[in-house]
Amino acid sequence: MLFRSDDAPLKQIAQVQVGATFAEAHNEAGGVLFFVRQATLMAQPFDAKALTLAGEPVPVVQQIGLGRAHAHFSVTSSGIMAYRIGAGPLTQLTVADRAGASLQKLGEPNKILTHSWSPDESQVAIFRSEGTSNYDGDLWLLDLNRNVETRLTTGHKASVTNTNGPVWSQDGKQLAFASGNSIMTKDVSGATEARLIKDVGRAIPLVSDWTRDGRFLIYSPQDQPDIFALPAAGGDPVALLATPATEQGGAVSPDGHWLAYHSDQ
């Protein structure tokens, strides 16, 4: 958590999970700072003039409801607080036909942001944020034949947005995904650790496809909306599209000759 006063440099105040809210208070510091740690809403006296915390943080609400980059609470100037607890809306994966009729429910409702069906349609890779951050979490595999989920990564190793998630290799043996600023691959058998393909040195890379021959991963850096091909065996990415427009979501045709994508041009 950082604060800036006028033209002064940024000053780090505390380590928090999501953004903070300040409220005036009749205490010695003159105010209270509310912030989230470990899914708990905390309160700590804060001097807004000196930009310093006082005393120790006190838990206010356990299991506060969390959004993608915020906690679900609000404090009035008179000190009244409104808040929500719990994980919030859950997602139920469902198979539907082309007319929209539901055919089958997959797994149990959970906090799922993205998912990806395996090429042989026997498994679904699921990103689950588990209540700490909607963008950083772990990957699970849902076996559709046994209706059993297995954790694939541990310790919030996957990073997603609502437009990119894990991408299957054509043989269904590996998943490619973003982890922080890096692109990783991992065997779905879980027998080996995830392998670093490339640290792209930018914001979350949007991994959108894996070529049918297994040679390249298609991705777009989140802060540089062009489309790149990254050798899956390691190496430097090659720009496929680099224009003033925003291009993302690159998908390669089965014969490898064409690239479909969306653009704001």
Side-chain angles (χ1 to χ4, degrees):
M1 178 169 51
L2 302 172
F3 277 86
R4 186 193 300 274
S5 178
D6 298 327
D7 295 327
L10 287 171
K11 178 181 180 180
Q12 181 170 340
I13 303 300
Q15 293 288 340
V16 304
Q17 186 174 327
V18 292
T21 295
F22 173 78
E24 293 183 354
H26 299 293
N27 57 15
E28 186 175 344
V32 174
L33 201 64
F34 295 89
F35 53 88
V36 176
R37 285 181 183 168
Q38 303 288 317
T40 297
L41 180 64
M42 312 290 290
Q44 188 169 2
F46 180 72
D47 188 329
K49 294 182 179 179
L51 298 182
T52 57
L53 290 163
E56 295 296 326
V58 177
V60 178
V61 179
Q62 301 284 346
Q63 296 301 314
I64 188 73
L66 297 177
R68 293 179 180 176
H70 65 283
H72 294 290
F73 76 97
S74 180
V75 184
T76 69
S77 58
S78 61
I80 298 175
M81 175 184 291
Y83 62 91
R84 192 189 79 190
I85 61 174
L90 302 179
T91 298
Q92 173 67 67
L93 295 180
T94 305
V95 178
D97 62 19
R98 291 180 180 271
S102 297
L103 302 179
Q104 177 188 1
K105 292 182 178 181
L106 305 180
E108 299 297 326
N110 216 306
K111 195 173 183 182
I112 299 169
L113 188 61
T114 63
H115 66 283
S116 180
W117 213 333
S118 65
D120 65 1
E121 301 183 3
S122 67
Q123 298 184 91
V124 177
I126 296 171
F127 171 86
R128 184 182 298 168
S129 63
E130 300 178 312
T132 56
S133 168
N134 272 19
Y135 290 125
D136 293 299
D138 285 301
L139 299 179
W140 293 68
L141 288 177
L142 172 60
D143 186 318
L144 300 181
N145 296 321
R146 298 182 297 149
N147 196 33
V148 173
E149 288 189 12
T150 304
R151 180 188 286 270
L152 190 63
T153 65
T154 302
H156 306 285
K157 295 299 185 182
S159 304
V160 307
T161 72
N162 57 2
T163 59
N164 84 299
V167 176
W168 290 86
S169 61
Q170 186 63 21
D171 60 10
K173 294 182 178 180
Q174 297 185 81
L175 280 170
F177 58 95
S179 180
N181 297 341
S182 300
I183 295 177
M184 317 284 292
T185 60
K186 185 172 175 61
D187 292 340
V188 297
S189 67
T192 60
E193 294 296 320
R195 184 169 72 96
L196 172 66
I197 302 301
K198 184 75 173 180
D199 183 342
V200 298
R202 299 180 179 275
I204 299 175
L206 309 180
V207 185
S208 58
D209 202 4
W210 197 328
T211 57
R212 305 306 187 268
D213 60 10
R215 294 177 58 202
F216 294 97
L217 295 164
I218 309 301
Y219 78 98
S220 299
Q222 196 172 23
D223 62 346
Q224 183 188 351
D226 295 316
I227 298 177
F228 292 81
L230 175 67
D236 294 326
V238 176
L240 299 180
L241 280 170
T243 75
T246 296
E247 296 108 1
Q248 292 179 345
V252 181
S253 62
D255 63 7
H257 293 165
W258 297 90
L259 181 76
Y261 62 95
H262 56 82
S263 170
D264 65 355
Q265 184 175 14

